Amino acid sequence: MDDDDRRRVLDLLCEDARYTPEDVARQLDLTPEEAEAHIEALENEGVLRGYTAVVDWAALDDDVVEAKVELNVELDRETGYEDISRRIAKFPEVVAFQLVSGDYDFALEVRADSMNAVSRFVSEEIAPIPEVTQTVTHYVMETYKADGIEFGDGEEDDRLSYSP
């Protein structure tokens, strides 16, 4: 499978992870067997790591709080970014975790049942890590788009524009 085929298969699965190999085959002019082989190869190579749903947590009756956490660290000779990332990535509250460039070192996405739970997690689990020098927590107030999916009520604004 060439890089173009790999990318086309991945683009389709990112569009809708529920696509079957038959759906992929039909859209890419492949046989279902070829599509399934491409998907399996991407999974085996670790390129395709999983399948997930895009959830509008605010649409649920349950309270779910999301936060973005900036994290600064100070490395020493024995500790690198990989060491720190292994410790932090294991927490179930951490739903995304990246090493970034700019004013801070790591960006975390945290999800918990309340603002208090997020705050407690950051202060009791993340901040005490010896290499962590600073945390800044930003609570998500509203999500307008996630993973390429726009959120909203689904109704178009059909008001007519007015100009005098």
Side-chain angles (χ1 to χ4, degrees):
M1 161 172 52
D2 66 19
D3 286 343
D4 190 47
D5 285 341
R6 293 162 55 98
R7 183 57 191 236
R8 292 177 8 180
V9 169
L10 290 170
D11 286 342
L12 280 176
L13 292 175
C14 286
E15 177 183 306
D16 190 341
R18 295 177 301 168
Y19 281 149
T20 65
E22 291 77 16
D23 295 330
V24 172
R26 187 173 44 257
Q27 294 183 60
L28 298 182
D29 197 28
L30 301 169
T31 68
E33 294 78 21
E34 290 172 323
E36 190 164 1
H38 288 338
I39 293 168
E40 187 175 320
L42 289 164
E43 290 171 343
N44 291 338
E45 294 169 21
V47 173
L48 190 52
R49 301 265 179 155
Y51 301 86
T52 188
V54 177
V55 178
D56 183 354
W57 294 105
L60 293 176
D61 289 336
D62 297 340
D63 288 330
V64 174
V65 175
E66 296 178 292
K68 310 294 184 187
V69 181
E70 300 172 5
L71 195 62
N72 278 314
V73 298
E74 187 173 308
L75 303 177
D76 57 34
R77 290 183 180 192
E78 292 81 38
T79 308
Y81 290 123
E82 291 296 321
D83 300 312
I84 297 167
S85 70
R86 277 192 290 278
R87 281 186 267 169
I88 293 173
K90 70 177 180 166
F91 292 107
E93 294 89 348
V94 177
V95 296
F97 183 36
Q98 297 97 16
L99 177 65
V100 297
S101 65
D103 292 336
Y104 52 97
D105 300 307
F106 289 109
L108 283 73
E109 291 183 35
V110 174
R111 190 174 299 136
D113 292 334
S114 68
M115 290 176 79
N116 191 25
V118 170
S119 178
R120 229 179 12 258
F121 169 71
V122 172
S123 65
E124 294 175 7
E125 301 293 344
I126 301 300
I129 295 172
E131 295 80 13
V132 171
T133 60
Q134 180 183 22
T135 66
V136 178
T137 303
H138 304 273
Y139 290 96
V140 176
M141 305 307 288
E142 186 75 35
T143 299
Y144 299 105
K145 186 174 184 177
D147 290 326
I149 307 294
E150 286 189 54
F151 289 25
D153 59 12
E155 295 181 17
E156 293 289 323
D157 185 359
D158 58 357
R159 296 178 290 174
L160 298 175
S161 63
Y162 172 78
S163 57

